[in-house]
Amino acid sequence: MSVMDKLKQMLKGHEDQAGQGVDKAGDLVDDRTQGKYSGQVDSAQERLRQQLGSEQTGQRETGREDPPR
């Protein structure tokens, strides 16, 4: 069993919370890099949400705008 399969089992029923965690982690990286890699971070967030089965793909719930590039 792969690590991703184990994560999916652990997160079953908590996909929305996992998606929120992915968003927060991406926001932290964007903040620390001053938005320099925001395109790559957004792509990674989207792929993680798809892998983890999050229902909120592409939605940001932080209420903040993306930092300028």
Side-chain angles (χ1 to χ4, degrees):
M1 183 178 285
S2 73
V3 174
M4 190 56 79
D5 290 336
K6 289 181 182 180
L7 278 173
K8 286 179 184 179
Q9 283 182 344
M10 288 173 42
L11 294 173
K12 194 165 192 110
H14 302 283
E15 292 86 0
D16 291 338
Q17 290 175 341
Q20 290 174 357
V22 168
D23 284 340
K24 283 185 181 183
D27 289 344
L28 178 67
V29 171
D30 277 340
D31 202 35
R32 296 259 174 126
T33 61
Q34 299 173 352
K36 185 175 182 181
Y37 303 104
S38 63
Q40 291 91 337
V41 170
D42 290 343
S43 296
Q45 286 175 312
E46 188 65 31
R47 279 183 272 158
L48 267 173
R49 280 191 220 98
Q50 288 173 355
Q51 288 274 323
L52 298 175
S54 176
E55 298 295 323
Q56 63 174 18
T57 57
Q59 295 178 359
R60 298 176 65 87
E61 296 184 9
T62 60
R64 300 185 326 175
E65 291 186 25
D66 288 338
R69 294 183 188 185

